[in-house]
Amino acid sequence: MMDKEKILEEDLYKPVHDFFEKQGYTVRAEVKDCDVTAIKDDFLIIVELKKNLTVELLSQAVKRQKISELVYIAVPKPKRMKADSKWKDICHLIRRLELGLIFVNFKSSKTFVEVVIEPKPFDRIKSINANKKKRASLIKEIKGRNKDLNVGGTRGKKLVTSYRESAIEIACCLDKFGPLSPKRLREIGTDCKKTVSILYKNYYGWFDKKSRGVYELNEEGKKNLKVYEELAKYYYEKIGEKVTSDQLRVQSTIDRGQ
């Protein structure tokens, strides 16, 4: 077994050379800046070798696509393979670039080649169709946000999602008019589908059940209205346009009497 730290790019050549030669190709190294070339009749394959899978390697391989039908990148097989989202994203990128991926395995006494991805045309329409649910979810989330309060590229901060926005809207209603039922909240204009779920699950811990089917805003909820002050201001104004305090006080009194 060879230590990856001691592996050189030139160590990748012989296994790749032998792999294509066994398939009837004439293989040559370092031809016109190409690491490996393999030709059978007029069919040309180019392989770029690197110790690590880098952006530089991908860029170099894409350039080779100008002169070859099939282009592979070849790297040493990682000691530990994790089939996580990061690896899946890397594979998607390689397929998106219509490149092939070869692992040169140095883990056994006999070095050998594994073709992980074959270079072939990428069907973008098929890819989009296969992710219709994710697309629909993204569009739904965009439409569910009324204010743009997040900063792109930030890490480690609580994001204002459409769910959090709905919770803040409910909190504003309860803060302004006192305890209310989900029915009254929906009449004011809170989300028809989310209102009951947000109050029942109480994911953020902002609401308390005052009586059967009636909820009120607790101190944690009031504190978060200050944290999300800009969004709360937006919903207070929105509520004010739809209903007057006197109307809701009457309904709140009815609710408390239930």
Side-chain angles (χ1 to χ4, degrees):
M1 185 184 296
M2 187 179 293
D3 188 343
K4 187 177 179 181
E5 297 300 321
K6 296 179 181 179
I7 296 173
L8 303 174
E9 284 181 20
E10 60 192 61
D11 295 324
L12 304 173
Y13 176 68
K14 186 65 166 59
V16 172
H17 170 281
D18 293 348
F19 175 77
F20 285 104
E21 191 172 62
K22 287 178 181 177
Q23 297 181 53
Y25 287 88
T26 298
V27 185
R28 298 290 181 266
E30 297 299 333
V31 182
K32 300 289 185 179
D33 296 325
C34 299
D35 289 344
V36 185
T37 57
I39 192 166
K40 184 191 293 186
D41 298 324
D42 287 329
F43 193 78
L44 174 66
I45 291 175
I46 295 175
V47 185
E48 291 299 325
L49 311 174
K50 277 287 185 294
K51 288 177 61 177
N52 296 291
L53 209 167
T54 63
V55 173
E56 180 187 359
L57 174 59
L58 294 174
S59 176
Q60 193 174 27
V62 168
K63 288 180 181 179
R64 302 294 180 247
Q65 289 175 325
K66 296 176 182 179
I67 54 176
S68 174
E69 297 88 344
L70 298 178
V71 179
Y72 290 85
I73 54 178
V75 296
K77 184 174 183 178
K79 290 182 179 179
R80 296 179 182 85
M81 286 294 299
K82 289 184 178 180
D84 54 12
S85 59
K86 183 178 180 180
W87 170 243
K88 289 179 182 178
D89 288 343
I90 291 171
C91 288
H92 175 75
L93 176 59
I94 293 171
R95 291 190 179 97
R96 184 74 177 81
L97 295 173
E98 301 183 352
L99 298 170
L101 174 63
I102 291 173
F103 279 159
V104 181
N105 196 327
F106 292 96
K107 291 184 178 180
S108 64
S109 56
K110 184 180 179 181
T111 303
F112 60 95
V113 158
E114 297 177 48
V115 179
V116 182
I117 298 173
E118 292 282 3
K120 58 183 179 180
F122 182 82
D123 191 337
R124 188 161 180 264
I125 300 302
K126 182 179 178 181
S127 177
I128 291 174
N129 289 335
N131 290 276
K132 280 184 177 179
K133 288 184 178 179
K134 288 184 179 180
R135 176 185 170 88
S137 177
L138 176 63
I139 292 173
K140 182 180 178 182
E141 177 64 24
I142 293 169
K143 290 182 176 180
R145 298 187 189 185
N146 292 288
K147 300 285 285 183
D148 187 22
L149 299 176
N150 300 318
V151 178
T154 56
R155 295 289 182 274
K157 291 185 178 181
K158 291 181 179 179
L159 297 177
V160 180
T161 62
S162 62
Y163 187 90
R164 192 181 292 273
E165 277 203 24
S166 294
I168 291 170
E169 182 178 14
I170 291 170
C172 288
C173 292
L174 297 179
D175 182 53
K176 187 170 184 177
F177 304 115
L180 295 168
S181 67
K183 180 181 178 181
R184 301 302 183 206
L185 286 163
R186 290 195 296 265
E187 287 173 354
I188 297 169
T190 61
D191 190 279
C192 290
K193 293 182 179 179
K194 293 179 185 176
T195 298
V196 174
S197 175
I198 288 172
L199 291 169
Y200 181 75
K201 293 180 180 178
N202 199 16
Y203 182 78
Y204 301 121
W206 297 353
F207 312 108
D208 289 335
K209 192 172 184 179
K210 184 172 179 61
S211 59
R212 185 180 179 184
V214 177
Y215 296 84
E216 64 181 354
L217 186 67
N218 59 30
E219 290 303 316
E220 182 66 19
K222 291 177 181 178
K223 184 172 70 175
N224 275 275
L225 286 179
K226 294 180 181 178
V227 173
Y228 301 100
E229 187 175 3
E230 184 179 345
L231 190 57
K233 182 181 177 183
Y234 167 82
Y235 281 115
Y236 281 132
E237 291 174 354
K238 179 183 174 183
I239 294 165
E241 293 173 358
K242 288 193 172 185
V243 65
T244 66
S245 293
D246 289 340
Q247 288 174 320
L248 262 295
R249 284 196 186 98
V250 171
Q251 297 299 341
S252 180
T253 301
I254 295 173
D255 287 336
R256 284 196 292 269
Q258 289 178 344

